[in-house]
Amino acid sequence: MESFKVGIVGCGTVGGGVVKLLLENAKVIERRIGKKVEIAFVADKEIEKVKRLGIPEEKIFDDGFKALSKECDVVVELIGGTTIAKEIILKAIEKGRHVVTANKALLAESGEELFKKARERGVSLKFEASVGGGIPVIKALREGLSGNRIKRIYGIINGTANYILTEMTEKGVDFETALKKAQELGYAEADPTLDVEGFDAAHKIAILSTLSFGRWVRTENVFVRGIREITPLDIELAAEFGYRVKLLAISKVVDGKLEVRVHPTMIPEEHILSSVNGVFNACLIEGDFVGETLYYGMGAGERPTASAVVADIVDIAMGNTYDVPEELFSDDEKLEIKAPDDFISSFYLRFTAVDRPGVLAKISKVLGDYGISIKMALQKSINVNGGVPVVMTTHPAPKRKVQEAINRIDSFDVILSPTFVCMIEEL
Ligand code: NDP
Ligand code: HSE
């Protein structure tokens, strides 16, 4: 039987999972595709880690570059980061090897260069595991929805952030404890600030947007806010207004421009995305013919991510070398990226105000002066920083106007701390 040789660089959470899957499910894969998928080598700085998985010594390397001298059909880059990983991928491409990666940070930063190089060398660069962990969302976009114009994407695409928010909402666990647990479970990035500051989700929505909207979208094109500023109080108050707080990645064409953003977002609690909890991810993708579609599954961790990596390996072994759309390399006019100040959204505003007559009227007057219409308002009789929380939601308004109004309101001496602002998406 023909065999297809795989070289794995990086044997941590994901790499270890890929080795386990290829060994445990070797027969399943072989029967399915009529080829043996064989591990040619595994490289990791710590060779004991690889030995423990049952890989024979002659196939183990302590350095990714050394390993590349060994023959294989596909190199799987799973070390992460944007420096050595990039060099490894470039070297593999230069040697005429197909490449599979889960490295969204690298693709969001250097995708254009890497895909061009792969194309010039006639090899494929596949990246299913880079978005949504085990959910085959890249395949859905590239293949299942290929006949559609994509209208909008809403994604809960960071497992760590969703896990933290769920633990805080449902169990009252504090932020740091929830983050530590996510790290122990292998969900978080080596640098977890990427998860909690929203950049991992930004890398992922940049990739999905690139596949969907015919232009390269990079991290710097994404408006990003993380979840650190979310307090249990805001989660509780959001619930009183009928919302759940999610770190939502959004990509949509509005007034002929592409709006790409990641930030804590209040979404209606009855919407299906509100029930995506823990490490689960979901992507809602709307196409012009298909309408709304939804993809759901485990968004991080050893086994789900290995499942996505192996799907790419199997695809290449089967001759499906499809990676990014052709239109990205054309000179056609590209969609412009919308400036964050021009976003139109509804807002949740939590003022920390002195509990005194006339304060509510003062706040409302400023909002009115800036043309911002209040939808709902609530004052809580609890002490926050020596004041009381006054919460308002607004009808859709330009982000710039809301920020200007907040700056004005926050300058009043009856406002005791900076106003907390969160965008609302009615979906
Ligand atoms: P880990 O840190 O668990 O694994 C990376 C491994 O690569 C480590 O064992 C590391 O060794 C090793 N390594 C680093 N440099 C080299 C090198 N030059 N040669 C050989 N081995 C090296 O990371 P993950 O498995 O979690 O993530 C890997 C990639 O997958 C990242 O791009 C990540 O963003 C992505 N990803 C991760 C998911 C997850 O759930 N964890 C899900 C989806 C994507 P050492 O630790 O000693 O540095
Ligand atoms: N750190 C990432 C997450 C891993 O939590 O979603 C999956 O890409």
Side-chain angles (χ1 to χ4, degrees), residues 14 102 104 129-134 156-163 182 186-192 194-195 200-201 204 279 281 298-301 305:
V14 184
K104 52 268 170 157
S130 66
V131 184
I156 294 173
I157 48 180
N158 183 270
T160 303
N162 203 44
Y163 177 84
Y187 302 155
E189 295 302 302
D191 170 7
L194 289 171
D195 298 293
D200 178 75
K204 291 166 175 168
V279 72
N281 278 194
M298 297 267 279
T305 314

Side-chain angles (χ1 to χ4, degrees), residues 211-383:
L211 297 178
S212 306
F213 297 109
R215 60 157 288 159
W216 296 102
V217 177
R218 300 181 188 81
T219 321
E220 68 250 31
N221 300 129
V222 186
F223 169 81
V224 191
R225 290 286 177 275
I227 58 165
R228 262 195 199 281
E229 56 188 10
I230 299 296
T231 63
L233 175 64
D234 293 302
I235 292 175
E236 202 184 303
L237 291 170
E240 291 196 28
F241 284 107
Y243 296 114
R244 292 276 290 214
V245 183
K246 293 287 177 192
L247 182 69
L248 199 68
I250 301 170
S251 186
K252 56 184 176 182
V253 179
V254 183
D255 304 328
K257 289 189 182 170
L258 183 58
E259 188 168 315
V260 197
R261 47 190 169 107
V262 169
H263 49 77
T265 310
M266 293 187 184
I267 60 174
E269 64 191 355
E270 67 278 7
H271 192 276
I272 195 159
L273 286 179
S274 281
S275 58
V276 176
N277 288 320
V279 72
F280 279 86
N281 278 194
C283 265
L284 187 157
I285 304 178
E286 186 181 345
D288 58 350
F289 273 67
V290 71
E292 285 187 358
T293 61
L294 187 68
Y295 309 88
Y296 172 81
M298 297 267 279
E302 178 188 279
R303 290 170 75 91
T305 314
S307 161
V309 171
V310 171
D312 278 345
I313 297 171
V314 166
D315 253 358
I316 297 172
M318 299 286 286
N320 175 357
T321 52
Y322 223 41
D323 47 29
V324 288
E326 198 59 42
E327 62 184 335
L328 291 169
F329 300 96
S330 82
D331 293 328
D332 293 353
E333 213 170 288
K334 305 292 186 197
L335 269 176
E336 207 180 304
I337 303 282
K338 194 172 221 191
D341 274 352
D342 296 335
F343 296 163
I344 307 277
S345 177
S346 298
F347 288 83
Y348 162 100
L349 311 172
R350 175 172 54 79
F351 306 97
T352 306
V354 175
D355 194 6
R356 187 187 296 162
V359 171
L360 209 58
K362 220 170 163 177
I363 294 172
S364 313
K365 164 131 188 6
V366 176
L367 293 175
D369 289 348
Y370 282 86
I372 299 157
S373 166
I374 298 165
K375 189 174 174 192
M376 292 187 278
L378 171 80
Q379 179 174 318
K380 279 280 188 192
S381 290
I382 52 171
N383 186 324

Side-chain angles (χ1 to χ4, degrees), residues 79-100:
I79 67 175
T82 54
T83 53
I84 299 168
K86 182 175 177 185
E87 288 175 46
I88 297 230
I89 291 179
L90 286 171
K91 189 93 189 145
I93 291 173
E94 193 187 301
K95 282 176 157 288
R97 312 266 164 76
H98 296 292
V99 175
V100 170

Side-chain angles (χ1 to χ4, degrees), residues 46-119:
E46 199 189 315
I47 58 174
E48 285 307 319
K49 224 189 299 189
V50 189
K51 271 192 200 161
R52 282 197 293 274
L53 296 173
I55 300 294
E57 246 171 81
E58 68 276 12
K59 291 187 175 182
I60 304 178
F61 292 81
D62 64 359
D63 172 74
F65 291 100
K66 280 191 229 159
L68 290 184
S69 59
K70 210 162 156 89
E71 272 310 308
C72 68
D73 297 295
V74 57
V75 170
V76 184
E77 179 281 304
L78 294 171
I79 67 175
T82 54
T83 53
I84 299 168
K86 182 175 177 185
E87 288 175 46
I88 297 230
I89 291 179
L90 286 171
K91 189 93 189 145
I93 291 173
E94 193 187 301
K95 282 176 157 288
R97 312 266 164 76
H98 296 292
V99 175
V100 170
T101 183
N103 196 334
K104 52 268 170 157
L106 178 59
L107 294 180
E109 187 179 291
S110 306
E112 184 170 1
E113 178 191 348
L114 295 173
F115 287 108
K116 262 192 192 140
K117 289 268 196 269
R119 186 163 285 235

